[in-house]
Amino acid sequence: EPEVTQTPSHQVTQMGQEVILRCVPISNHLYFYWYRQILGQKVEFLVSFYNNEISEKSEIFDDQFSVERPDGSNFTLKIRSTKLEDSAMYFCASRLGAGANVLTFGAGSRLTVL
Amino acid sequence: GESVGLHLPTLSVQEGDNSIINCAYSNSASDYFIWYKQESGKGPQFIIDIRSNMDKRQGQRVTVLLNKTVKHLSLQIAATQPGDSAVYFCAETPWGNNRLAFGKGNQVVVIP
């Protein structure tokens, strides 16, 4: 079954460092997403991406965050200068397209900021 | 009920019994609802969805009920199995919208 793959599974970084989380969405999907989940809390929307641009972003997704689809397969989330409160699980998701609303999530990347 | 921080509402159920998980949503504009299952250390996994033009939808061992009048969603799991132990999230969005809003989650613990 097609799946969304994410790397790394766990990253530990020092506060202030840049982090890039990588995702390979399902190959024929057109819409891509990043969500995050702080330990024990609900999953929160960060950003959606379609046709090589951000289509929507939440208030969490401030100037420290950016997304990119550098080639035909990867979708990345960059945090420029990490803060302690960025520690969370980051989930990438994708969906097929119009008329198909089901998001398929990856297994997540755990980010720990020290 | 409400959950804060690490404390999720927990349903303990005997293996073989039926489980019912409830979710209240607040956005009147939402017309598409999804239940996700999240096992420890994994991402949310799709279980079943329903649009607002329906009030019930059945899958394999799962049924979702939607009451738009009181903005309430429930997930019923028949003959609960140990593999059903997980956190269950409801999510809502207007149809075609880009962002899902997740609920706070309910922990289901299946007792063998």
Side-chain angles (χ1 to χ4, degrees):
Chain A
E1 182 159 338
E3 59 181 26
V4 176
T5 57
Q6 292 186 240
T7 54
S9 57
H10 188 192
Q11 181 153 357
V12 181
T13 190
Q14 295 291 323
M15 191 169 55
Q17 294 296 303
E18 176 183 283
V19 161
I20 297 177
L21 304 179
R22 292 182 168 80
C23 170
V24 179
I26 294 173
S27 61
N28 61 340
H29 283 194
L30 300 177
Y31 294 79
F32 314 114
Y33 304 83
W34 284 100
Y35 284 75
R36 80 170 186 191
Q37 185 179 31
I38 294 170
L39 182 63
Q41 299 187 21
K42 61 183 178 181
V43 179
E44 301 173 290
F45 170 81
L46 290 178
V47 65
S48 59
F49 191 88
Y50 170 72
N51 200 26
N52 283 319
E53 60 182 22
I54 291 174
S55 46
E56 193 169 353
K57 59 184 181 180
S58 72
E59 54 283 354
I60 302 169
F61 194 88
D62 61 23
D63 292 343
Q64 293 299 314
F65 291 88
S66 63
V67 289
E68 194 177 31
R69 189 158 164 80
D71 52 43
S73 59
N74 290 285
F75 179 52
T76 61
L77 174 69
K78 181 192 289 187
I79 308 174
R80 253 178 286 279
S81 178
T82 50
K83 304 187 285 288
L84 295 176
E85 54 265 36
D86 293 328
S87 294
M89 280 289 284
Y90 288 82
F91 293 107
C92 176
S94 68
R95 72 178 171 101
L96 180 60
N101 258 36
V102 176
L103 270 64
T104 302
F105 284 83
S109 292
R110 178 171 297 285
L111 176 64
T112 302
V113 183
L114 302 177
Chain B
E2 287 290 314
S3 65
V4 177
L6 296 174
H7 302 289
L8 292 175
T10 299
L11 174 68
S12 295
V13 59
Q14 204 72 38
E15 182 179 356
D17 287 352
N18 297 333
S19 304
I20 299 176
I21 308 161
N22 296 301
C23 175
Y25 66 93
S26 56
N27 187 355
S28 300
S30 292
D31 60 1
Y32 179 62
F33 306 88
I34 310 175
W35 280 100
Y36 280 94
K37 170 186 179 183
Q38 187 178 27
E39 296 172 279
S40 180
K42 297 184 180 179
Q45 177 187 359
F46 171 83
I47 302 174
I48 192 168
D49 58 356
I50 189 168
R51 289 195 68 178
S52 60
N53 59 352
M54 303 173 69
D55 53 21
K56 179 179 179 179
R57 190 158 187 239
Q58 288 184 287
Q60 187 177 17
R61 282 202 306 118
V62 293
T63 300
V64 55
L65 299 175
L66 175 63
N67 185 330
K68 296 180 287 294
T69 304
V70 295
K71 298 195 190 71
H72 184 268
L73 195 65
S74 67
L75 177 70
Q76 300 176 358
I77 306 173
T80 313
Q81 301 170 358
D84 296 327
S85 292
V87 177
Y88 291 80
F89 292 94
C90 64
E92 57 174 302
T93 183
W95 179 257
N97 192 285
N98 260 318
R99 57 196 289 177
L100 288 176
F102 281 80
K104 289 180 178 169
N106 287 266
Q107 175 92 50
V108 171
V109 176
V110 181
I111 303 164

